[in-house]
C-alpha cells in the first residue's frame, strides 16, 4: 500500500518582491534595444556626439518609459528610435549587452536570452557580423563575471522586406554554434503577416535552428497559427490572443509550445485592457507552458522579479504556482536538452531551499 502524499500548504509562504528577487529565474523574451540603462544612453550620446531628446537621466527616463502613454504597439515602439541612435557602434553594443546581462544576473536571472535585429544597427556602416560579435563579447564578459548563462535570438522585422529576413536568417545559421542562436520575427504585426517571411524560416528550420515568433500580441490568433504552422515556431512571443481560438490553444498545450508572456508590455501596448484582463491565469490553470518575461526593461520600467510579483498579486498565484512558472522558464530555454536538464535541476534544488516541494519523479522527464 502506497502512502498518500499530502499536498503542502503553500499559503503560509508569503510572496514578496524580495522573495521573488532571490529565486533563480530565466528571462526568455528581452530586447537589447529596449533594455539599456538610461545613464549609459546619455554617456554614449556624449561620446558619439548624438543628440538625445533629454540629457538629464530622470527626464530621459520619463520620456522613454511608456507607462500608460501609448495608444498601441506602434506608439510603444517609438522610444526605440532614441536607444538605437546610440547603438550604431560595436563598443556601445558590447557595453549595453554586458550591462543587460549584469542587470539580469543581479536579480538572479540564471539564464537570459537577448534578442535584437542587427539590421537596425547599420546606420553608421557596421557589418551584421560586427554587431553579432559585439553582443557575444558583451554577454561573454558578463558570464565570466556573474552567475548567468546567456543566449542570443536574432530578429527578422515584419515591416522590413522578406529578403532582409532571409539575410538575417543566413547569418543566424552561420552563428548557430555560438551562444545557441535562435531566430524570431518582431515588429508591427498588423499588415505584416509572418508567412511573408517563410523563406527565412524555412532556411532556419532546415538548419536545425530554434524558432520563436512574436504573435497574437497586436493581431488575433491567425497570427499565432501562421507562426506555428507556416514558420515552425517552437515558442510564441506574447500569445495574448491565443485565448480566442480554443482549438489552437489545445494544439499549443498538447505540443507544450512555450508562451513568452510579457504582462506590463501587453498592458502598455493595449494588447489587453488592463492586468486583470490578461489571460495568464486561464493559460496557467489550463496547463499551458507559460513563462514570464520583461520584453523591454527600460520602456516598460520593469524586471523579471517585478513581472512575476505583479503576476502573483494580480492572479493570486501562490508560491507553488510561482515556482512552477519559474520552472517553465528553465524548461523552455533554447539550450541543448542536456544543458537544460542541468540548469533546471540546479534551479529546482535552489527553489526547494525556499520551501518548494518538487513533484517530479524523473529528472529528465521534468525538462521535456
Ligand atoms: Zn518583444
Amino acid at each position: 500500500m502506497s502512502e498518500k502524499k499530502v499536498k503542502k500548504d503553500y499559503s503560509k509562504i508569503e510572496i514578496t518582491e524580495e522573495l521573488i528577487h532571490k529565486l533563480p529565474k530565466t528571462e526568455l523574451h528581452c530586447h537589447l534595444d529596449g533594455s539599456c540603462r538610461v545613464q549609459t544612453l546619455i554617456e554614449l550620446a556624449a561620446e558619439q556626439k548624438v543628440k538625445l531628446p533629454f540629457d538629464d537621466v530622470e527626464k530621459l527616463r520619463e520620456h522613454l518609459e511608456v507607462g500608460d502613454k501609448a495608444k498601441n504597439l506602434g506608439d510603444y515602439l517609438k522610444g526605440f528610435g532614441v536607444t538605437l541612435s546610440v547603438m550604431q557602434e560595436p563598443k556601445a553594443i558590447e557595453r549595453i549587452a554586458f550591462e543587460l546581462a549584469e542587470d539580469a544576473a543581479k536579480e538572479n536571472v540564471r539564464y537570459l536570452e537577448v534578442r535584437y535585429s542587427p539590421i537596425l544597427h547599420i546606420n553608421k556602416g557596421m557589418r551584421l557580423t560586427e554587431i553579432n560579435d559585439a553582443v557575444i563579447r558583451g554577454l561573454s564578459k558578463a558570464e565570466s563575471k556573474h552567475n548567468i548563462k546567456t543566449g542570443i535570438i536574432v530578429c527578422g522585422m515584419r515591416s522590413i522586406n522578406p529578403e532582409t529576413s532571409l539575410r538575417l536568417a543566413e547569418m543566424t545559421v552561420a552563428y548557430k554554434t555560438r551562444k545557441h542562436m535562435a531566430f524570431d520575427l518582431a515588429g508591427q504585426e498588423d499588415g505584416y503577416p509572418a508567412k511573408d517571411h517563410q523563406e527565412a524560416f524555412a532556411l532556419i528550420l532546415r538548419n536545425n535552428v530554434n524558432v520563436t515568433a512574436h504573435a497574437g500580441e497586436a493581431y488575433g490568433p491567425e497570427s499565432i497559427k501562421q507562426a506555428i504552422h507556416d514558420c515552425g515556431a517552437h515558442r510564441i512571443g506574447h500569445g495574448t490572443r491565443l485565448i480566442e481560438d480554443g482549438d489552437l490553444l489545445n494544439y499549443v498545450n498538447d505540443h507544450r509550445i512555450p508562451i513568452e508572456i510579457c504582462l506590463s508590455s501587453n498592458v502598455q501596448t493595449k494588447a489587453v485592457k488592463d492586468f486583470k484582463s490578461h489571460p495568464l491565469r486561464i493559460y496557467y490553470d489550463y496547463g499551458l507552458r507559460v513563462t514570464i518575461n520583461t520584453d523591454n526593461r527600460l520602456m516598460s520600467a520593469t524586471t523579471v522579479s517585478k513581472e512575476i510579483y505583479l503576476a502573483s498579486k494580480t492572479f493570486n498565484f501562490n508560491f507553488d504556482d510561482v515556482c512552477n512558472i519559474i520552472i517553465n522558464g528553465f524548461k523552455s530555454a533554447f539550450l541543448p536538452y542536456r544543458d537544460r536538464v542541468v540548469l533546471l535541476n540546479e534551479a529546482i534544488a535552489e527553489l526547494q531551499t525556499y520551501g518548494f516541494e518538487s513533484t517530479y519523479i524523473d529528472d529528465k522527464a521534468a525538462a521535456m
Side-chain angles (χ1 to χ4, degrees):
M1 285 258 287
S2 66
E3 218 178 295
K4 202 174 168 218
K5 193 156 173 14
V6 182
K7 193 153 166 58
K8 183 169 173 166
D9 178 10
Y10 283 100
S11 62
K12 291 190 181 69
I13 302 179
E14 195 200 343
I15 309 280
T16 60
E17 204 176 324
E18 293 70 43
L19 172 64
I20 291 171
H21 176 95
K22 284 188 222 158
L23 304 177
K25 293 174 287 290
T26 60
E27 161 87 300
L28 305 180
H29 190 128
C30 182
H31 294 264
L32 185 67
D33 51 348
S35 305
C36 328
R37 295 178 190 166
V38 178
Q39 179 64 41
T40 299
L41 293 177
I42 289 172
E43 287 173 23
L44 291 174
E47 276 170 31
Q48 300 173 14
K49 309 212 175 350
V50 169
K51 181 97 187 88
L52 296 178
F54 297 97
D55 300 330
D56 175 79
V57 172
E58 281 324 305
K59 282 188 182 145
L60 186 60
R61 185 187 304 285
E62 205 181 302
H63 178 75
L64 292 171
E65 283 178 2
V66 176
D68 52 11
K69 286 182 286 195
K71 288 189 186 69
N72 51 42
L73 180 61
D75 268 2
Y76 181 89
L77 296 175
K78 279 181 187 158
F80 290 84
V82 175
T83 56
L84 285 167
S85 70
V86 296
M87 296 177 77
Q88 305 297 332
E89 295 180 9
K91 250 175 68 188
I93 292 188
E94 181 179 335
R95 176 174 172 182
I96 288 172
F98 169 78
E99 290 177 353
L100 167 56
E102 184 169 74
D103 292 346
K106 283 185 177 162
E107 60 152 336
N108 293 304
V109 166
R110 299 290 155 73
Y111 179 70
L112 164 73
E113 287 175 5
V114 179
R115 62 183 75 193
Y116 58 97
S117 188
I119 205 71
L120 303 176
H121 302 269
I122 58 169
N123 296 353
K124 284 191 185 170
M126 252 199 302
R127 293 192 301 271
L128 296 177
T129 48
E130 273 183 287
I131 301 159
N132 257 353
D133 293 339
V135 176
I136 291 173
R137 277 198 306 277
L139 295 179
S140 302
K141 200 169 128 200
E143 285 189 9
S144 63
K145 214 172 149 193
H146 300 287
N147 181 15
I148 190 166
K149 285 191 169 55
T150 61
I152 288 172
I153 300 174
V154 167
C155 305
M157 300 301 296
R158 285 175 182 268
S159 55
I160 299 179
N161 57 59
E163 295 73 38
T164 301
S165 294
L166 184 59
R167 266 176 73 203
L168 293 172
E170 284 163 353
M171 192 198 61
T172 307
V173 169
Y175 273 81
K176 82 169 214 181
T177 54
R178 301 182 64 190
K179 295 218 151 294
H180 330 291
M181 302 278 275
F183 193 70
D184 172 33
L185 195 62
Q188 279 275 26
E189 255 180 281
D190 197 2
Y192 301 101
K195 63 174 190 238
D196 290 354
H197 302 261
Q198 228 168 357
E199 208 183 334
F201 285 104
L203 179 81
I204 286 289
L205 290 167
R206 278 198 305 269
N207 283 281
N208 310 311
V209 176
N210 297 305
V211 174
T212 181
H214 282 70
E217 178 189 14
Y219 202 75
E222 173 57 29
S223 172
I224 302 169
K225 213 174 262 182
Q226 277 187 25
I228 295 171
H229 297 307
D230 297 324
C231 306
H234 304 109
R235 292 195 327 224
I236 292 294
H238 298 290
T240 318
R241 295 184 60 184
L242 177 62
I243 191 74
E244 295 169 28
D245 185 335
D247 198 46
L248 185 63
L249 183 125
N250 280 308
Y251 183 88
V252 168
N253 202 19
D254 295 347
H255 290 267
R256 314 306 300 138
I257 298 173
I259 313 280
E260 305 156 2
I261 303 263
C262 309
L263 276 179
S264 294
S265 166
N266 283 170
V267 173
Q268 289 160 353
T269 63
K270 309 286 186 286
V272 290
K273 194 166 86 235
D274 51 30
F275 287 105
K276 282 230 165 322
S277 319
H278 197 285
L280 172 58
R281 178 86 226 189
I282 299 168
Y283 288 174
Y284 176 78
D285 288 345
Y286 201 64
L288 288 172
R289 184 162 289 173
V290 287
T291 67
I292 292 184
N293 312 276
T294 63
D295 208 7
N296 298 290
R297 287 167 176 253
L298 169 58
M299 278 73 171
S300 290
T302 197
T303 62
V304 181
S305 305
K306 274 190 192 168
E307 292 296 305
I308 296 177
Y309 180 68
L310 196 63
S312 74
K313 289 293 142 203
T314 308
F315 303 107
N316 205 18
F317 286 135
N318 67 18
F319 187 67
D320 188 34
D321 302 324
V322 165
C323 291
N324 281 319
I325 289 171
I326 285 174
I327 287 168
N328 280 346
F330 284 97
K331 285 181 179 177
S332 308
F334 279 149
L335 275 172
Y337 173 69
R338 294 162 69 98
D339 298 341
R340 204 161 70 219
V341 172
V342 173
L343 213 57
L344 174 69
N345 284 338
E346 283 171 7
I348 291 175
E350 205 175 331
L351 292 172
Q352 283 169 334
T353 66
Y354 291 95
F356 177 64
E357 283 184 358
S358 174
T359 48
Y360 297 120
I361 302 157
D362 176 77
D363 289 341
K364 289 205 168 148
M368 302 260 297

